[in-house]
Amino acid sequence: MFKATVIVKRRPKILDPEGKAVEQGAKLLGFNNVKQTRIGKYIEFFVDTIDKSIAEKEVREYSEKLLSNPIMEDFDYTLEEVK
Amino acid sequence: MKPKFGVVVFPGSNCDHDAYYAVRKVLGFDAEFLWHKETDLKGCDIIILPGGFSYGDYLRTGAIAQFSPIMDSVYKFAENGGVVIGICNGFQILLEIGLLSGVMIKNESLKFVCKNIYLGIENKDSIFTKSISKKILKFPVAHGEGNYFTDESTLKTLETNNQILFRYISPSGELDSRFNPNGSLNNIAGIMNQKKNVMGLMPHPERCCDPILGNSDGALIFQSVANSFLN
């Protein structure tokens, strides 16, 4: 079995009004060095197989087809074998 | 031929009954609900994907609904030239499934916007607008993610191919970002696909069809589409 973590990020050119609003909060707290806050998504799940290549394939396809929208988002993932 | 409307019902749709009421009770056309787990479009000529919060809007608006069994049939129907109307969440689903190009991001204000807005008709030759004589329509909007975005080349294609159907304008017809409720690119409120048989719009025509509500501009769109079958 593998544990997958997927991080979905907005493409740099896509506006991120949430990130912008959160950064306003940072300024209110006095974090004046904070710049370019961007909000993404963190998703974790298990893939029930002993074959790492199958797990990779499923994580990729799941991320491409559903977890991210390729028009506005990129994704990274990690896979870790668990018992 | 009198067309038959089909209104798809997803878990979380909440404008399905409004759409049904508008086309069936107000305009008098045959209409049927189509449950999202079915695959049969039951001989409907015009498919409406209604507004609401399909699958709770989890992950991204419309992201999960695009994989409902009925959407396979709707996709093929549209590819074969069938008429599809996506309203609000229905528009978001059409973007996710790729029948229309672009994405919806959060409103620039980060607020859910619920109010009447004014629309300018950009393309008067489409089946959705052909028989509308009014130049400016008043429709309600109600959404948190109606901020239409796409890349420059797609935007250019939409503009040059006359695929932009509606833009947000002032009550007197002025085009300015001040009258844009959500920050959408070029004040876009509604677009079509290249073949112009699929329309998506954020405002809600089905909520302003019955004259008793004081505004029946929405009926003009459904009537216009129906006329393309009647003529």
Side-chain angles (χ1 to χ4, degrees):
Chain A
M1 183 131 85
F2 291 87
K3 185 183 175 187
T5 57
V6 177
I7 290 178
V8 179
K9 297 186 281 191
R10 276 170 209 251
R11 291 248 166 94
K13 274 194 174 171
I14 303 281
L15 296 170
D16 183 2
E18 271 175 300
K20 236 166 136 181
V22 170
E23 194 160 304
Q24 281 172 14
K27 298 284 182 258
L28 291 172
L29 283 166
F31 296 125
N32 294 316
N33 301 322
V34 171
K35 299 266 187 278
Q36 295 171 39
T37 304
R38 310 275 294 170
I39 309 277
K41 294 186 185 104
Y42 171 89
I43 301 145
E44 60 177 30
F45 52 92
F46 292 93
V47 190
D48 194 1
T49 173
I50 50 164
D51 187 333
K52 191 168 184 185
S53 64
I54 290 176
E56 292 247 7
K57 191 170 171 271
E58 290 207 3
V59 172
R60 276 198 159 275
E61 284 184 11
Y62 186 18
S63 301
E64 281 164 7
K65 285 188 181 163
L66 180 57
L67 299 179
S68 72
N69 180 330
I71 300 173
M72 62 171 173
E73 292 165 330
D74 293 315
F75 65 88
D76 290 326
Y77 67 90
T78 59
L79 265 182
E80 178 197 345
E81 194 163 10
V82 287
K83 284 184 183 163
Chain B
M1 181 196 88
K2 235 179 159 190
K4 180 176 165 188
F5 286 77
V7 180
V8 178
V9 182
F10 296 100
S13 294
N14 66 7
C15 301
D16 42 348
H17 282 265
D18 300 58
Y20 182 87
Y21 178 84
V23 295
R24 176 108 198 214
K25 308 280 182 192
V26 181
L27 289 161
F29 293 107
D30 197 5
E32 192 151 0
F33 287 115
L34 303 168
W35 180 236
H36 76 114
K37 282 193 172 165
E38 293 168 9
T39 51
D40 183 4
L41 300 182
K42 297 181 181 169
C44 292
D45 304 293
I46 301 162
I47 303 294
I48 299 176
L49 304 182
F53 300 85
S54 58
Y55 292 87
D57 271 357
Y58 295 134
L59 200 60
R60 294 179 310 280
T61 55
I64 307 171
Q66 67 173 310
F67 298 114
S68 275
I70 194 107
M71 287 310 293
D72 256 348
S73 310
V74 172
Y75 192 91
K76 285 179 194 137
F77 175 75
E79 286 287 287
N80 291 327
V83 178
V84 179
I85 300 173
I87 302 165
C88 198
N89 189 226
F91 186 3
Q92 294 161 338
I93 295 167
L94 290 174
L95 293 170
E96 279 286 338
I97 203 169
L99 281 170
L100 293 173
S101 10
V103 285
M104 284 297 171
I105 56 178
K106 274 207 165 60
N107 293 348
E108 206 169 46
S109 63
L110 289 178
K111 287 181 182 144
F112 188 94
V113 182
C114 185
K115 62 176 183 182
N116 279 318
I117 49 81
Y118 295 87
L119 292 177
I121 303 173
E122 290 291 312
N123 182 334
K124 293 191 164 63
D125 296 323
S126 80
I127 53 168
F128 308 100
T129 51
K130 211 169 200 166
S131 53
I132 303 178
S133 54
K134 274 185 156 182
K135 288 197 172 118
I136 299 169
L137 302 173
K138 183 168 88 171
F139 281 8
V141 287
H143 59 250
E145 277 156 319
N147 186 347
Y148 179 79
F149 185 85
T150 190
D151 58 72
E152 270 175 42
S153 72
T154 308
L155 183 64
K156 210 174 159 192
T157 311
L158 290 176
E159 294 276 5
T160 52
N161 198 28
N162 294 321
Q163 285 170 254
I164 294 168
L165 206 44
F166 304 109
R167 281 189 226 269
Y168 301 109
I169 54 169
S170 77
S172 60
E174 190 190 344
L175 179 66
D176 189 275
S177 58
R178 282 179 296 149
F179 310 109
N180 183 341
N182 50 37
S184 66
L185 268 184
N186 293 9
N187 283 33
I188 288 173
I191 58 170
M192 290 178 288
N193 62 341
Q194 282 210 339
K195 286 197 277 182
K196 298 182 176 139
N197 58 311
V198 178
M199 162 177 83
L201 78 170
M202 285 316 288
H204 287 274
E206 81 287 7
R207 292 190 188 177
C208 53
C209 285
D210 195 330
I212 203 167
L213 297 173
N215 176 13
S216 52
D217 281 1
L220 300 172
I221 289 190
F222 299 117
Q223 189 64 56
S224 180
V225 182
N227 285 350
S228 71
F229 286 84
L230 295 168
N231 295 338

